[in-house]
Amino acid sequence: MKNIYKKAVCLLALGLTLASCENYLDDIPKGSKTPTTLADFEAFLRDEYTNQRVDVLPALHVLNDQFVNAATLSSNRLYNANYMWDENANRIELKPSDEGTYYGGYQGISTFNLIIENALTATKATEQEQRVVWAQAKLLRAMNYFNLVNFYADTYVASIASTKLSVPLITSANINAPSKQVTIQELYDFILNDIKDALPYLPKVSQTALHPNLGAGYAFNARVNLQMNNYTEALKNADLALAENNKLYDWIGYYNANKAVIDVPNSYTTTPSPMGFNYVENYTFRHGSSSNLGAEFDIPVERAQRFETGDARFISRWKIRTVGAETSYRRTLTGAFNFGGITTVEVYLIKAECLARAGQIADALTVLNTVRKTRILPASYQDISTTDKTTALNAIYRTKNNELIMTLIPYADARRLNAEGVYKVSFTKVVGGKTYTLSSDSHLWTSPFPQGAINNPGNGTITQNVDK
């Protein structure tokens, strides 16, 4: 599929040029196939390593969710700026022109635009079949734009969202398609409209895990509304999503089934990841940042310490290891990982936050503890019980950050909470006797556009959203 994709479609990504790229409708090279049937367009959704990959590596570095060793920090100045929270570094100068987060996001958008433009007139399909593929592409396009706006623009704040720029909006797959760097409000309105268009046609059960279903539509709607601090709509859509799928994976059972391997001291023999295409928590599956798609990342010791005692999910995934002068937690799962899609656990925790925000603390903790009972080993488990809103929300945030580590969500949540100013997120660490701090109002929470995008913005203009 990937070879057909490269021949048949010219990927439109700002600043990305392909020497032999032509409009597939105008001139098809010999040996290439012109997409005409619905099956042709639907197959683009299955190109999982490009269109279904969500690279959030810069966010993982800012959060220190991925361990980066000293040698890499020394050789990669951008990694060092993000990971060591260097406020003085000029990340604009350090930003490579081929940065995967930006170009990968727009590569997927170009493909989804192609499907949206052609699915409703594709051959060999009923109108209903056409609408399903069209709707799935609409939802995936909206997901890509959500990822991009939460990297390269300030987070959503209703009072100023109409005055601040976000990212370029492109709605056509044509290589000369115009782009406009719209406001944050305009982009969120566009995302919500794509969701609205998609929901009536998303199937309850989709063809594969890569194809969003109705539960994915509701779940993503909940995610977007939460980011906009619209807790009523977020809760409504979380409930609708959970009505489609409310399954939680039994991580305690996984640990017990594999403890003979997991508990061996100083052994890093791997066990299979349950978080692949058949993960019971999936609404829709998308790959994450790891360049080695058969494994996840190691994590720093400081990050490991933020997991609850007895967290079977953590114990099953990482084990402490020292190499030379450096100690980290080594990954011990191999296989596929749904770090770019949407899962039920995120929706449970969206629901828990919305209930707590509404003052329904007991109900919020019931939802939170429902998740924890499938994660925390019985010897360590205790219900979280409090009547204090702040205590409840902090417990929800801790669980959510741990559950969704290696995804965009902890980063997006931190930006949202920092903008709100009540439950601020900041970090401090000591390395080599020196203290490093990431403040809640640091400019490092917004990533600069790559130099290549600024220098070659396509059919439009781009203004940087940060000074450095």
Side-chain angles (χ1 to χ4, degrees):
M1 189 64 244
K2 191 176 291 186
N3 289 334
I4 295 174
Y5 177 76
K6 287 180 178 178
K7 292 177 181 177
V9 182
C10 174
L11 296 175
L12 176 57
L14 297 182
L16 180 65
T17 57
L18 301 176
S20 61
C21 193
E22 299 179 70
N23 188 322
Y24 82 95
L25 291 174
D26 294 339
D27 187 10
I28 304 301
K30 283 186 177 181
S32 297
K33 178 180 178 181
T34 309
T36 55
T37 70
L38 186 66
D40 293 335
F41 291 105
E42 180 273 327
F44 294 144
L45 299 178
R46 300 172 189 256
D47 190 2
E48 60 185 278
Y49 299 114
T50 50
N51 301 324
Q52 299 282 11
R53 182 173 172 189
V54 180
D55 186 350
V56 296
L57 198 59
L60 303 186
H61 291 164
V62 171
L63 291 174
N64 277 206
D65 278 357
Q66 180 205 4
F67 173 71
V68 184
N69 61 37
T72 301
L73 292 176
S74 178
S75 62
N76 191 315
R77 294 171 60 201
L78 181 60
Y79 279 25
N80 185 79
N82 285 324
Y83 192 78
M84 301 306 293
W85 307 323
D86 185 354
E87 295 274 357
N88 297 316
N90 189 332
R91 295 175 302 155
I92 295 172
E93 293 181 354
L94 302 178
K95 202 79 167 176
S97 62
D98 60 348
E99 191 229 23
T101 303
Y102 187 84
Y103 294 116
Y106 277 105
Q107 177 173 320
I109 286 168
S110 180
T111 301
F112 305 139
N113 283 339
L114 179 73
I115 297 170
I116 292 164
E117 290 174 325
N118 293 279
L120 299 184
T121 57
T123 61
K124 298 184 180 180
T126 65
E127 181 180 351
Q128 177 60 28
E129 290 168 336
Q130 292 171 337
R131 282 287 179 184
V132 168
V133 174
W134 176 84
Q136 290 169 332
K138 277 240 168 185
L139 191 70
L140 288 167
R141 178 174 71 178
M143 291 176 70
N144 273 29
Y145 273 123
F146 180 87
N147 297 336
L148 289 165
V149 74
N150 278 284
F151 260 106
Y152 301 107
D154 289 343
T155 198
Y156 183 91
V157 177
S159 61
I160 56 175
S162 296
T163 64
K164 288 195 168 188
L165 291 175
S166 64
V167 299
L169 178 62
I170 308 172
T171 58
S172 171
N174 191 295
I175 192 171
N176 294 313
S179 68
K180 179 185 178 183
Q181 189 178 4
V182 296
T183 66
I184 295 171
Q185 184 66 58
E186 287 174 316
L187 191 62
Y188 270 85
D189 288 344
F190 181 85
I191 290 169
L192 289 172
N193 190 66
D194 263 1
I195 298 171
K196 180 182 177 182
D197 286 347
L199 279 173
Y201 304 104
L202 292 171
K204 291 180 73 68
V205 179
S206 50
Q207 302 97 308
T208 75
L210 299 172
H211 295 71
N213 55 28
L214 182 59
Y218 290 135
F220 180 59
N221 208 2
R223 177 191 287 179
V224 175
N225 276 283
L226 183 71
Q227 197 67 21
M228 299 175 74
N229 303 306
N230 189 342
Y231 306 115
T232 300
E233 279 299 308
L235 177 58
K236 171 187 171 183
N237 281 278
D239 281 333
L240 289 168
L242 292 172
E244 296 297 319
N245 180 14
N246 65 357
K247 295 177 183 176
L248 288 168
Y249 184 74
D250 180 10
W251 277 96
I252 297 171
Y254 181 89
Y255 166 74
N256 287 330
N258 294 279
K259 64 185 301 183
V261 174
I262 293 170
D263 288 349
V264 177
N266 303 313
S267 171
Y268 303 95
T269 300
T270 59
T271 54
S273 166
M275 295 179 282
F277 303 107
N278 296 320
Y279 195 39
V280 296
E281 296 184 3
N282 287 347
Y283 289 115
T284 188
F285 179 98
R286 306 187 81 185
H287 291 286
S289 299
S290 179
S291 57
N292 179 2
L293 293 171
E296 56 184 335
F297 293 122
D298 297 352
I299 64 175
V301 172
E302 296 84 0
R303 181 62 186 86
Q305 292 169 346
R306 298 205 293 272
F307 283 85
E308 282 194 64
T309 300
D311 188 330
R313 193 168 185 260
F314 166 73
I315 297 168
S316 300
R317 293 170 67 183
W318 293 284
K319 186 180 293 187
I320 196 166
R321 183 182 72 161
T322 298
V323 177
E326 296 185 311
T327 300
S328 63
Y329 275 76
R330 175 70 175 175
R331 62 188 183 268
T332 57
L333 292 185
T334 55
F337 302 84
N338 189 3
F339 291 151
I342 308 181
T343 56
T344 57
V345 70
E346 178 184 348
V347 178
Y348 271 100
L349 296 170
I350 289 174
K351 178 174 181 176
E353 178 177 351
C354 293
L355 289 170
R357 293 275 186 172
Q360 298 173 255
I361 307 302
D363 291 339
L365 294 180
T366 296
V367 176
L368 172 61
N369 289 324
T370 297
V371 171
R372 294 177 63 249
K373 286 173 184 174
T374 66
R375 271 54 177 173
I376 310 302
L377 296 173
S380 300
Y381 182 83
Q382 285 187 329
D383 274 348
I384 293 175
S385 179
T386 183
T387 58
D388 180 68
K389 180 179 179 179
T390 297
T391 302
L393 282 170
N394 284 334
I396 292 165
Y397 297 143
R398 179 187 185 183
T399 298
K400 192 176 182 186
N401 288 337
N402 289 337
E403 284 293 324
L404 300 178
I405 189 172
M406 303 299 168
T407 76
L408 173 72
I409 303 309
Y411 181 78
D413 277 350
R415 287 160 44 93
R416 170 172 61 91
L417 296 174
N418 287 339
E420 179 188 22
V422 180
Y423 308 99
K424 294 182 180 180
V425 178
S426 60
F427 297 107
T428 299
K429 64 181 177 182
V430 178
V431 179
K434 182 178 179 181
T435 300
Y436 297 84
T437 299
L438 176 66
S439 65
S440 61
D441 60 356
S442 173
H443 67 272
L444 296 174
W445 289 107
T446 298
S447 184
F449 292 115
Q451 288 185 17
I454 297 296
N455 297 333
N456 185 10
N459 190 3
T461 60
I462 303 177
T463 300
Q464 279 287 7
N465 290 321
V466 290
D467 294 329
K468 59 183 179 179

